[in-house]
Every structure is written in C-alpha cells, then in structure tokens.
Amino acid sequence: MGGCDSGLLELAYDAKRFVLHMRSIIEMAPLQVYYSGLLFTPGSSLIRVGYFRNIPWITMEPKVADVWSSLIQTLEGHIHYVESAVFSPDGNLVASASWDNTVRLWDKSTGKQCGVLEGHTDRVKSAVFSPDGKVVASASWDNTVRLWDTSTGKQCGVLEGHTDWISSAVFSPDGKLVASASWDKTIRLWDTSTGRQCGVLEGRAGGINSAVFSNDRKLVSCVSWDETVRLWDTPIGKRCGVLGDYTSWVNSVVFSPDGKFVASAFDDKTVRLWDILTGKQYGVLEGHTSRINSAVFSPDGKLIASASDDKTVRLWDTPTGKQCGVLEGHTSYVNSVVFSPDGKLVASASWDQTIRLWDTSTGKQCGVLKGHTNWVNSAVFSPDGKLVVSASNDKTVKLWDTSTGKQCVVLEGHTSYVNSAVFSANRKRVASASSDDTVRLWDTSTGKECGVLEGHTSSVKSAVFSPDGKLVASASMDETVRLWDTSTGKQCGVLEGHTETVNSAVFSPDGKLVASASLDRTVRLWDTSTRKQCGVLEGHTRTVNSAVFSPDGKLVASASFDRTVRLWDTSTRKQCGVLEGHTSDVNSAVFSPDGMLVASASEDRTVRFWDTSKKTTIEIIETHDSIKVMKFSNDGIYLHTSHGILQLKSPLHNGGNRELSPTLTHSLYVTDQWITCNMQKLLWLPVEYRLSCSAVNDTSNLIVIGSDSGRVTFISIDFTALPAAYLQPSVNAAAASKCFLGYKFPCWLLMN
C-alpha cells in the first residue's frame, strides 16, 4: 500500500479513536469539539495536530498524554456502581448490570445506549446474553433472575425461588438452562423455555458468589464464601470435585474454552489456574496490588484478563503465566471483565459507574502522566497562591508550582493514605495528616521533612495550624485532639473527652480555644493554655462534621448529619440558635467577616445563607455538587469554595472590609463534568479529568483539579479573551454558545 494510502488509514484510525473517545460530548454539545475535544486529545493525535489551535482564553493548558492509550471508549449512563459488563455473542452489543437496579444495552461500535431494562427492585449483580443473543438474563438482590428480549427491551420471564440475594446467573452453552448462584447457599437450574426450576445444587457452607457451565454443559463450577471452588455434575446434580483448599475468599471462577482448565480469582491478589482432570494447581498469576474480583479467558484461551480493586485490568499469557498488559483508566474498583467474541476487545465494569472498552492488541500502558498514583484527597493553595499542595492515597504529598502547573516537590514519608494537607499562614510549612496515625511537618522551600508528630493511636483525620503558626492541632479516630509544638515537633497536649472519632478541630481567632467536632454528636471546647476541656456543646442528634468560630470568637457554628447548623455562645457554652432547612447532611459552615451571616454546605447540593441574629435563611444557591470547603471573601459578597466562587445575588448586609477585596465581574466554578463561568458551561471535562477534589484561585483565575486516578490538572483562564457573553451572569448559556459559531467544523466531528 502506498504512502498516501497508509497516511489516510492512519488519519482514519485517529479520527475513529477521537470520535469514540469524545462521543458523549459530541452528542451533548458538538461545539465543544474544538475546545474540550481537541484540548484533551493526546498530543501526537493527527486530529489534534491538524485542527487544534491555541484557545485564546486558556493560558495554561492541561497536561495530556502523548499517544492514545489502550482505552477506546467509556460508556456513561448508570447512576450507581456497575457490577458487570458482557458482550453479546455477535459482539455488537454490551450489557451492563448496576446497583441502580437496571441493565443497560450499548451499541459497541458507537458507544450509544440503546436500551434500559427496568424491573428489578434492588441492585443488579450480573447480566449475561443467551448463546443466540436474543435474551439477557439478569441476577439481582431482589432474589429474582429476570429474562429480557434484547430486540424489544421487554421483560419475558421472572425466575423466582431463591430465598436470598442472587449473585450471578449464566446460560448453559446450548441456551436451554440458566444457572443462578445465591446467598441462600444454593445453585438453581432453570428451564429457559418454561421458566421453571429444574434442579437445585445444595451442600455449600456459605453463600455462593458465582456459577459457570463447562462448554459441554456437563459440569458446573461455583465459588462460595466458604473459600472453596467446587465442581458439580449437572445431569445428576451431585458434587464431583473440590479444587484446592484456600485461606482467602474466591471471587470468581471460569472454564477455559477447551474445558480443560479453570481460572479462579482471589482476595489474596492472585489468579490461580487448575487442571480439571487432576484437580491440581498449575499456575499462579501475580501482579495486582489488591483483591481480584474476576478473571476470564479469551475466546482462543491464549489470554486471561483479570479485574481488581486496584482499579486496573491486567492481561496474562495463559501458557507462561506472564503479565502482558496493564489497562489503566478506571477511577474505582473494577468488578468484572470480559472479552469480545473475536478477542480484540475487553469490556470492564467499575464502581466509577462506567464501562470501558480496551484494545487487547496493544495492552500497553500509554500516556500515563506524572502525578499521584492513587486518589487525590485534597488540593489547597498556599496563602500567596504560588503553590498548591495535594494529598493522596498513594501515601505522598506533592507541591506544585502554580505558574507552570509542574510538580516541584514530592513529600514522601507517610506509610499510609494522606487524608489532608494544609499550609501554615506564612507558607513556609505544610502539615499533613495520615492514616498511618501521624502528622508530618514539611519545609516547603526544601521539601524536607522537619517533624514527625507521633502519638495518635489511630488514623489522623485532619491537622490545622494555630493563627500564629506555633501550634498544630490534629483530630483523630482515636477520639482525641492533640496539640503539637511546631518548633520542636513535640506533643504538648492531649485533649481527651470525646467518645468517638474526632472529625475536625479548629482554633479560635485569638488561638486561645480549640473547638472539636465528633461522631459522638458533640462539639467540645478546649483551653489551649491549660489543655483542659472548658465546654461540651450538646444538642445535635447525629455526627458533627465540623465546627467554626465567628470572627470575634463569640460564637461557634457546627454542621451535622442531622441536617442542621447550630450556633453556640462560647462564653456561656449554650446553644443560641438552630438553623434548619437542609434536606440532607450538612458538611460545613462558615461565618461572614462581620459575623452577621453563616453559609452552610450540604449533601443536598445547596449552599444556604443564614442571618445569625434572626436565625433565618436569606438565600439558597444550588451548586449541583457536594461542597466541603468554604470561605467568605473579605467584603462578604463572595463565597470561595473548593469548587469555585459563588456570588450572593444581592447585598444582604454591610459585609466586611470592601477595600481588601477586588470587585469580581466573573466567577469560575468546577462541577463534576464542567468548568463554568458565571455558572454557564465553559469547558467539558472528560471522565479521566473529573474531580475528587479541586481548588480555584480567583486572583490568578487558576483551577486545580485532583482526580480519582491520581491526576492533578491545572487550567488557567484569561477573562479578557473570553466572549463577552460569558462575563455577564444574566446572559443565557445558549446565547454564549453562539460565540463559537465562527469556527468551521469538519462534518465528521458533528456526527454521532
């Protein structure tokens, strides 16, 4: 084939990858193709190289991979964890089972959802196609297996008889039987033509996790919570073998295509291979870093794919047992994995609510960006805005230069998850709180550890500097707050009294008091000079998430799971107000600079503003996301949150010092899928760039997004280059989108 033809093929392949990867935004907002679509495409992509030009209003672009990874497409639509995904026999459809009580059908070639199978009344644990692809069987915790017609999406059978949750269902190779595995310790066989039960395989000591037929239908293998793999003779309904004796739970089992071997997935991070004739183990596949939920053979038996809680799918060469690929991209546990009928694709289902399709021919880890290697728990700007500190489950703290978006220091030393990190007021130090029961102090200029604060006997939830930086207060699951001298790193006080986990601790403005919020439903006040308890604030009926002092230190506001914010007088230690109105847990509360307002953020996805004197709601802002970190601007007009800036609709009071806060004509905000300007959609975020935490600096218009995958993304906006419509909050978002109509789009970019 000539060079020209070869080049065209390469372009066509790249265009296909682009369309599949960006399908959801092409369908939802086609004009984002030239913005989000090209911006987040790998750097060497021919489509990006040919069509991308600098976006004038983005002054710092996100770092992207150089080449396409093995991930081809992400299927979004489920609203809860996805337990399993499976290809139809002809490879044209994918069926996914979810905790949202539905099974969904997807077109493999386009990624478009083409059916929602509704009827189950509890989570669906698995879905599987019949051998002819005309029926789907789904197993649910509503104790039923349901059969669905794939052409119409209608229910065509309900198989009832189990007395407890059903973990899985599977068709026999000839499609005449369905075997269902249940927590009632039985496997039941069903006649698919009549829907009647035709056999019960009993004798297990524990609930059964999964069952699978051999290719000749003569054997059924199943795994149970009693840590065994057993074989059953289906014609006579009797057990005919036990493979191994384990000390770890077996999560799944599967026959090889030729029926000679069984692969089983374990909680001990291994996949084990067994010879059915001899019952002996002949291989152990090791490499995952967490429990393995499922394993499956490719159609030709040459590969094994395994799905794990370590968020990866791994490919293994069956004859040698060697790892030949790591498929990374999921942001939560991977529950199941399956090959397409031709073996060219793998579909994986995850608790991140997505199904992902992978190319098995490459199987390579491509384009992994530098950053954390696990969930990012927090990202915080330094007081001067020049640095960001991020804390992660990968046991590290990282410092980032906000002018370049580059990692400048890695703070290593913790031996478990880092839950939070915070700067001192002068930016010279960072304190990090970890599940390794310690707080560590770090010098931001050198990146060196300058103190390990040891004494807690359980995970440390948070740490905070005193106003003068001389003390650190740490809150822990060991039911204590501890005070530490930052100059010596020594413990100088143990504040005991809580009877359950302490969620947070905060200093009063003068540093003389500490308020701590706990699972024991109380807020406690402590004298920092005597290290003694000086008040117990009781009244909440559920966990208290956080507490905060008013600017003058005369009040404390506490936020609770009981859906209220309560106000307390610090001099009398008595409750002086209950702020009611939220419809879900309240995460945090904060006072305005003059103390006349309290803002509260809730899991009901609203922020409420309260008049502290009248104890009434005076404004409600819908945020579409759960907010946990907030702070008023110095003039009291804006609320700075971890997602961005919220502006009060009207002046509600005299506010604070207006001279200290510049007037904002715009506000950036990060939702789950979008970066918005004045709450109008500005830039769509692909799945792998979505937030587990975020921080927004309104001075530099810089957005920092920490993701479940460990990625830390920096994006900076120049408002002077934005279309005028985005700078006016009153302008309709549709009008703003018209500003992009001046671009000429290739027709293929606008196709579904």
Side-chain angles (χ1 to χ4, degrees):
M1 189 176 289
C4 181
D5 290 340
S6 176
L8 286 174
L9 281 174
E10 189 178 354
L11 177 61
Y13 171 79
D14 195 74
K16 180 181 178 181
R17 292 298 306 267
F18 179 87
V19 171
L20 289 175
H21 194 66
M22 297 295 173
R23 179 196 61 81
S24 60
I25 191 58
I26 292 172
E27 291 181 349
M28 178 172 39
L31 300 182
Q32 277 285 318
V33 170
Y34 258 92
Y35 293 94
S36 178
L38 292 173
L39 185 65
F40 291 104
T41 294
S44 65
S45 160
L46 297 179
I47 298 303
R48 178 181 171 119
V49 171
Y51 291 101
F52 183 68
R53 42 184 178 163
N54 292 333
I55 301 171
W57 42 268
I58 294 183
T59 55
M60 185 185 295
E61 297 176 2
K63 301 293 188 297
V64 296
D66 184 53
V67 296
W68 292 107
S69 70
S70 298
L71 176 62
I72 295 174
Q73 195 168 18
T74 302
L75 310 180
E76 295 185 274
H78 284 294
I79 57 175
H80 214 315
Y81 304 145
V82 184
E83 278 282 356
S84 70
V86 62
F87 286 96
S88 60
D90 62 9
N92 292 330
L93 292 178
V94 171
S96 56
S98 169
W99 284 26
D100 65 11
N101 302 353
T102 71
V103 175
R104 294 177 190 244
L105 300 179
W106 312 82
D107 186 306
K108 186 255 311 185
S109 61
T110 65
K112 191 172 184 177
Q113 183 176 290
C114 51
V116 181
L117 312 183
E118 296 178 289
H120 283 294
T121 58
D122 206 335
R123 63 187 65 170
V124 187
K125 296 290 287 181
S126 74
V128 62
F129 285 93
S130 60
D132 62 9
K134 294 180 179 180
V135 176
V136 164
S138 56
S140 169
W141 278 18
D142 65 9
N143 300 355
T144 71
V145 174
R146 295 180 189 244
L147 303 179
W148 312 84
D149 185 311
T150 56
S151 62
T152 64
K154 291 183 179 179
Q155 183 175 291
C156 54
V158 182
L159 312 182
E160 296 179 288
H162 282 293
T163 58
D164 208 337
W165 296 337
I166 304 177
S167 303
S168 69
V170 62
F171 283 94
S172 60
D174 59 10
K176 294 180 179 180
L177 294 179
V178 164
S180 54
S182 170
W183 284 38
D184 67 9
K185 305 178 184 179
T186 71
I187 296 171
R188 295 178 188 248
L189 302 179
W190 311 84
D191 186 311
T192 56
S193 61
T194 65
R196 291 181 181 176
Q197 182 177 294
C198 56
V200 182
L201 310 182
E202 300 179 282
R204 302 306 299 262
I208 302 177
N209 196 23
S210 66
V212 61
F213 284 96
S214 60
N215 281 351
D216 59 8
R217 208 189 91 165
K218 293 181 180 179
L219 293 178
V220 167
S221 180
C222 60
V223 297
S224 167
W225 297 120
D226 65 7
E227 301 178 353
T228 64
V229 175
R230 303 190 186 202
L231 299 176
W232 302 80
D233 188 314
T234 54
I236 62 175
K238 298 218 174 159
R239 192 178 75 198
C240 57
V242 179
L243 302 180
D245 184 15
Y246 316 113
T247 58
S248 179
W249 276 352
V250 190
N251 295 314
S252 78
V253 63
V254 64
F255 285 95
S256 61
D258 60 11
K260 295 180 179 179
F261 304 105
V262 164
S264 50
F266 284 81
D267 257 17
D268 68 2
K269 310 173 189 177
T270 67
V271 175
R272 294 170 190 259
L273 303 178
W274 309 88
D275 187 308
I276 291 177
L277 290 179
T278 65
K280 292 183 179 180
Q281 178 180 299
Y282 78 93
V284 181
L285 312 182
E286 297 179 289
H288 282 292
T289 58
S290 190
R291 74 177 223 164
I292 303 175
N293 295 311
S294 71
V296 63
F297 285 94
S298 60
D300 62 7
K302 294 180 180 179
L303 290 178
I304 291 173
S306 54
S308 169
D309 277 6
D310 67 10
K311 307 178 187 178
T312 71
V313 172
R314 295 179 188 243
L315 300 179
W316 312 84
D317 182 272
T318 308
T320 65
K322 291 184 178 179
Q323 183 176 291
C324 53
V326 181
L327 310 181
E328 296 183 292
H330 280 295
T331 58
S332 190
Y333 305 149
V334 187
N335 297 313
S336 74
V337 62
V338 64
F339 283 92
S340 61
D342 60 9
K344 294 181 179 179
L345 295 178
V346 159
S348 54
S350 168
W351 276 25
D352 65 12
Q353 303 180 19
T354 70
I355 303 98
R356 302 194 185 215
L357 303 181
W358 312 83
D359 185 328
T360 59
S361 63
T362 60
K364 293 179 181 177
Q365 177 177 309
C366 299
V368 177
L369 305 179
K370 289 184 178 180
H372 290 290
T373 58
N374 207 326
W375 193 297
V376 184
N377 290 313
S378 70
V380 179
F381 281 97
S382 61
D384 60 8
K386 294 182 178 180
L387 292 176
V388 163
V389 62
S390 57
S392 170
N393 280 1
D394 68 4
K395 307 176 187 179
T396 71
V397 178
K398 293 178 184 275
L399 294 178
W400 307 81
D401 186 320
T402 58
S403 63
T404 63
K406 292 183 178 179
Q407 176 183 297
C408 49
V409 180
V410 181
L411 311 180
E412 296 179 287
H414 283 295
T415 57
S416 188
Y417 302 157
V418 187
N419 298 315
S420 67
V422 62
F423 285 97
S424 60
N426 62 7
R427 201 203 83 167
K428 292 183 178 179
R429 288 193 174 184
V430 162
S432 54
S434 171
S435 292
D436 67 8
D437 306 348
T438 72
V439 176
R440 295 181 187 243
L441 300 179
W442 312 85
D443 186 309
T444 58
S445 61
T446 64
K448 291 184 178 178
E449 183 178 277
C450 51
V452 181
L453 313 184
E454 297 178 290
H456 283 294
T457 57
S458 191
S459 176
V460 186
K461 300 273 285 181
S462 67
V464 61
F465 285 94
S466 61
D468 60 9
K470 294 181 179 180
L471 294 177
V472 164
S474 54
S476 170
M477 291 177 69
D478 67 8
E479 304 174 5
T480 71
V481 175
R482 297 183 187 239
L483 298 180
W484 312 85
D485 185 314
T486 56
S487 62
T488 64
K490 292 184 178 179
Q491 182 176 290
C492 55
V494 182
L495 313 183
E496 297 179 289
H498 283 294
T499 58
E500 288 195 53
T501 294
V502 186
N503 288 319
S504 68
V506 62
F507 285 93
S508 60
D510 59 10
K512 293 181 179 179
L513 293 177
V514 165
S516 54
S518 170
L519 261 66
D520 67 11
R521 307 178 183 181
T522 71
V523 175
R524 297 180 187 244
L525 298 180
W526 313 85
D527 186 310
T528 56
S529 60
T530 64
R531 310 326 191 220
K532 291 185 178 178
Q533 182 176 290
C534 56
V536 181
L537 312 183
E538 297 179 288
H540 283 294
T541 58
R542 291 188 66 192
T543 295
V544 187
N545 290 317
S546 67
V548 62
F549 286 92
S550 60
D552 59 10
K554 293 180 179 180
L555 293 177
V556 165
S558 53
S560 169
F561 273 19
D562 66 11
R563 305 180 181 181
T564 70
V565 175
R566 296 180 187 242
L567 301 179
W568 313 85
D569 186 310
T570 56
S571 60
T572 64
R573 305 338 187 215
K574 291 184 179 179
Q575 183 175 291
C576 56
V578 182
L579 311 181
E580 296 179 287
H582 283 296
T583 58
S584 190
D585 307 340
V586 186
N587 296 318
S588 62
V590 62
F591 284 93
S592 60
D594 59 6
M596 293 175 65
L597 292 182
V598 164
S600 57
S602 166
E603 289 296 319
D604 65 13
R605 298 187 176 186
T606 68
V607 171
R608 287 180 177 248
F609 296 88
W610 311 81
D611 185 310
T612 56
S613 59
K614 297 179 180 178
K615 318 299 189 292
T616 56
T617 301
I618 52 180
E619 189 170 322
I620 302 172
I621 296 179
E622 293 186 9
T623 62
H624 306 289
D625 292 278
S626 174
I627 291 174
K628 293 181 172 61
V629 180
M630 302 184 296
K631 181 182 178 181
F632 272 94
S633 60
N634 292 323
D635 60 9
I637 294 178
Y638 307 102
L639 190 68
H640 298 259
T641 77
S642 54
H643 287 251
I645 299 169
L646 300 176
Q647 182 173 3
L648 278 67
K649 295 177 182 176
S650 58
L652 303 174
H653 61 113
N654 292 327
N657 188 339
R658 296 179 183 274
E659 295 180 357
L660 295 179
S661 295
T663 301
L664 295 178
T665 59
H666 50 74
S667 62
L668 289 173
Y669 192 85
V670 187
T671 70
D672 180 51
Q673 295 189 31
W674 291 88
I675 293 173
T676 69
C677 177
N678 295 323
M679 302 311 290
Q680 298 178 62
K681 294 175 179 177
L682 182 64
L683 190 69
W684 180 74
L685 297 171
V687 174
E688 57 270 31
Y689 290 87
R690 292 178 192 167
L691 73 166
S692 59
C693 65
S694 60
V696 179
N697 188 322
D698 64 294
T699 303
S700 59
N701 300 322
L702 179 63
I703 299 164
V704 181
I705 301 172
S707 301
D708 300 352
S709 62
R711 187 190 308 268
V712 177
T713 302
F714 288 74
I715 300 175
S716 183
I717 306 295
D718 178 5
F719 286 96
T720 64
L722 264 179
Y726 277 95
L727 303 181
Q728 302 297 326
S730 61
V731 176
N732 185 278
S737 69
K738 293 179 181 178
C739 299
F740 302 125
L741 293 178
Y743 288 94
K744 294 181 180 179
F745 294 84
C747 61
W748 61 265
L749 286 176
L750 303 179
M751 295 172 62
N752 288 344

